[in-house]
Amino acid sequence: MCGIIGCAAEGGEVASLLHRGLKRLEYRGYDSAGMATISEARIYVKKDSGKIDEIHQRLNFDNMPGSIGIAHTRWATHGAPTQVNAHPQLDCEDKIAIVHNGIIENFLELKEELIERKHVFRSRTDTEVIAHQIEENLRSGKDFLQAFFSAVKRLKGSYALAIISSHEPGKIFFARNESPLVIGLGDGVNFVASDVAAFIERTRRVIFLDNGDAGYITPREIRIYKLESGIEVKKRIIELEWTIEMAEKSGYPHFTLKEINEQPYTLREALRAQEKYLDLLAEFLDRARNVFLVAAGTSHNACVAGSYMFSKVAMLNATPVIASEFIENYGKSIGIDTVILAVSQSGETADVLAAVDHARMRAATVLGITNVVGSTLTRVSRAYVLQNSGPEIGVAATKTFTAQLTVLAQLALTLARKRGKLAQYEIDEFREELERLPELMKRAIEISHDPIKSLAKKLADAKSIFFLGRGASYATAREARLKVMELSYIPCIAYPAGESKHGPISVIEEGYPVFFIAPNDSTRKNVIGNMMEMKARGAEIYCVGTEGDQELRGISDWWLGLPSIHEALSPIIYIVPFQFLAYYLAIERGHDPDKPRNLAKSVTVQ
Ligand code: M6R
């Protein structure tokens, strides 16, 4: 998730407007930044790796000439965070400069074609192909708008684009597919940006663009077309009443709530994990004698779900281990035929890195799944896959958990193919389920929000809450416990539902809240038995099951039905009500959900 802004202004103040906008977008990415402006039909570029303030101190963004410009703050997905990979990216002749948020899935294919046509690439980004493709189209005699439209039509993936060119020095061209893009309409100044925060100081009049929209802005003109048909469209101008603070959170009161709601988008980006790296990881995993999934906190809960996926889909045993316990428990038994798959959002968690160091010393192979390119984990792993979630500002992991699971699921599928463990129709079904995830996530959010918000009022004074599930839903129960506990500070318990009768059930007394995660899968029948055990001892039963399950609904005191989904994928969708529950319990109890006490986003001590 990067941040882009384009600004077309009458007068010469564009550099400072871009710079201020960029600062407001910094929460979307902060490993490198850059800016390009046009003056007297020449493009000027400043860019580097590092934070915006550091780069500004070195290069001074504010003295860039001209009244048309674009800028970018980056969260790397393709190519390390270096000066050359920072945006804007340019064509061969430095006549087209482009900033991009999203992932171009077919960039390698396009790049090969363009290299054959003698284009010279400077970066390792997916974005650079777009500049060269436009340049190529111009060579064949198209005007700029046509060259731009034809180039964009060839792209597969997600993009929000802003482009300037000395061929058309008075305009900023834009296009959108699956990455947010909004136009800001000022007086003698127009903007196009990833979100309203970038320009809210200057205007609250906006047009939200849809997928397939493309066009251009000048200081006084806005032209929007449907990319496919080339037909011009008129869009509604909305007058927002947001404060600057609200704009940074896209209108939500907290980052945590924004991040929960942005999961349909982040799942789509997670589904764009690069196939060649998934293949590489699957190759190592397939050859290993022992596989350990090593992580901490929420990432560990993702590993618990991941081990179910690997076992159910690829028939591979992978042991999930809490990172801080790894060396004590398994340190002496690992060797050259062991693979450690370390999962860490930040890629910097000290417990994970200690386990990884130990494994490397014993010649084991280390693989990684992370959200941060250039993090320590990416440097010490033989191979890694990115989860593409963009920065997560809320301390509690929400969107990064479901993205990790989505990457693990793709890896399980790649492994299943390689190992020949599934029939073709099963592979096809699983792939289709994966593709439905963003839509299912959207529905789960819509279904869960209101009932959970009211439930949080009822449970706000609970002394303790119990979470139970079987199979993959045990992972959901664990993550539900962690989320609710860290945001509401209510002590919580999570157990495999079948284990509860071996001790934990003794805590149950009249009215004790017990949540069951009970999707319609192979564990459902046994879960009913566990529910009856709890009910008989006076527990109040709260059940999250599959829509239409009248039997479970009848047994429960409170019920929420979510869409049906492949059982190995259910934690991705069934965690949603608990993310909302954690958030609204924090609100009800007067805590700041974005900054729970005693916690840090990245725990870099052992
Ligand atoms: O960056 P990592 O994924 O390695 O972080 C692991 C944990 O510190 C993290 O998940 C933590 O448990 C969060 N507070 C969960 O919300």
Side-chain angles (χ1 to χ4, degrees), residues 160-178:
L161 303 171
I163 296 173
I164 54 172
S165 171
S166 51
H167 297 282
E168 283 274 14
K171 294 173 179 164
I172 299 174
F173 295 84
F174 62 81
R176 176 205 156 138
N177 186 50
E178 289 180 13

Side-chain angles (χ1 to χ4, degrees), residues 296-299 344-346 349 395-397 482-483 486 603:
T298 288
S299 300
S344 172
Q345 185 281 128
S346 61
T349 298
V395 165
L482 175 55
K483 236 25 19 150
E486 70 181 332
V603 184

